[in-house]
Amino acid sequence: MNIAQNLKKISISIPQNVSLVAVSKTKPNSAILEAYNTDQRAFGENKIQEMVEKYENLPKDIEWHMIGHLQRNKVKYMAHFVHLIHGVDSLKTLIEINKQAQKHHRIINCLLQLKIAQEDSKFGLSKSDVESMVISEEFSALKNINIQGLMGMASFTQNKSMIRTEFKTLKTNFDSLKKNITVNFNLSILSIGMSGDYQIAIEEGSTMIRVGSSIFGIRNYD
Ligand SMILES: *Cc1c(COP(=O)(O)O)cnc(C)c1O
């Protein structure tokens, strides 16, 4: 498994307006450095503790993306450095992120996770949840967060047409929210697509893909 070659292969196959987050969860610092040495700067992790350890031991110009489900009581550990939080799925979590961001005099970039998969196991908000949340007073009071876009995960399936349909739904919701909600909101990022489905995601409007195993090899555990 040659990380540099894998990265190059993916980078040249994606359009310029699509950014690549290299998902390095469970992988050692040496693997991240191999990618870093080919100029990859955006890395994604799904556990806050693991991301903090990597942040402390790796070059400081890495952009760290939190892509996993958030435990609110751990937001404080990453508030001083996290670049983008992908999986925000509640107002409560946004309030906590805002509070921790304030302590560090930062504005933290977030994506709202929309539920698009049929599976019950996937987290996320519905479009109407987002619509009612953003007009609430509590939401308007959050000055230290910046909602930059939406994130979604398709069902875990080999059925490509089902995955495509789910991505299409998310893109439709993205376009509609972008058009109809102009206060407190500036949607520009659509984070969809992983190793198995990023080509479909790009065809359906992804602007940010999160790719792990196609770069770093399969994981033994998550
Ligand atoms: C692990 C993970 C990825 C990357 O998955 P691969 O199939 O290895 O590319 C992308 N997004 C999220 C939210 C993940 O947890």
Side-chain angles (χ1 to χ4, degrees), residues 23 25 46 67 151 153 194-196 210-214 219 222:
V23 176
K25 62 189 184 194
N46 70 340
I67 63 171
M151 180 264 205
M153 283 174 88
M194 318 190 347
S195 292
R210 312 174 308 267
V211 179
S213 42
S214 291
R219 290 176 298 274
D222 268 339

Side-chain angles (χ1 to χ4, degrees), residues 33-88:
L33 280 174
E34 260 183 82
Y36 180 88
N37 289 334
T38 71
D39 286 340
Q40 177 68 28
R41 288 296 177 270
F43 292 89
E45 292 285 332
N46 70 340
K47 296 207 167 65
I48 293 175
Q49 198 53 52
E50 182 177 342
M51 187 171 82
V52 170
E53 278 168 30
K54 288 174 173 173
Y55 162 77
E56 285 170 355
N57 292 298
L58 285 163
K60 290 296 174 284
D61 61 342
I62 287 179
E63 291 177 2
W64 291 104
H65 293 242
M66 175 42 59
I67 63 171
H69 188 67
L70 290 183
Q71 285 173 277
R72 269 196 288 281
N73 60 348
K74 292 191 180 160
V75 168
K76 56 177 176 284
Y77 301 120
M78 64 171 174
H80 57 297
F81 71 89
V82 67
H83 179 78
L84 179 64
I85 302 178
H86 289 234
V88 182

Side-chain angles (χ1 to χ4, degrees), residues 23 45-46 66-69 84-89 110-117 122-125 130 147-154 166-167 170-171 174 177 187 189-194 206-210:
V23 176
E45 292 285 332
N46 70 340
M66 175 42 59
I67 63 171
H69 188 67
L84 179 64
I85 302 178
H86 289 234
V88 182
D89 66 355
C110 299
L111 306 180
L112 300 177
Q113 181 166 0
L114 256 66
K115 185 174 163 70
I116 49 169
K122 299 260 154 72
F123 297 100
L125 298 157
V130 176
I147 308 290
Q148 290 192 313
L150 303 179
M151 180 264 205
M153 283 174 88
E166 291 176 356
F167 286 155
L170 183 54
K171 176 64 159 73
F174 178 81
L177 289 168
L187 300 187
I189 298 174
L190 183 58
S191 167
I192 47 172
M194 318 190 347
S206 174
T207 69
M208 185 174 274
I209 58 175
R210 312 174 308 267

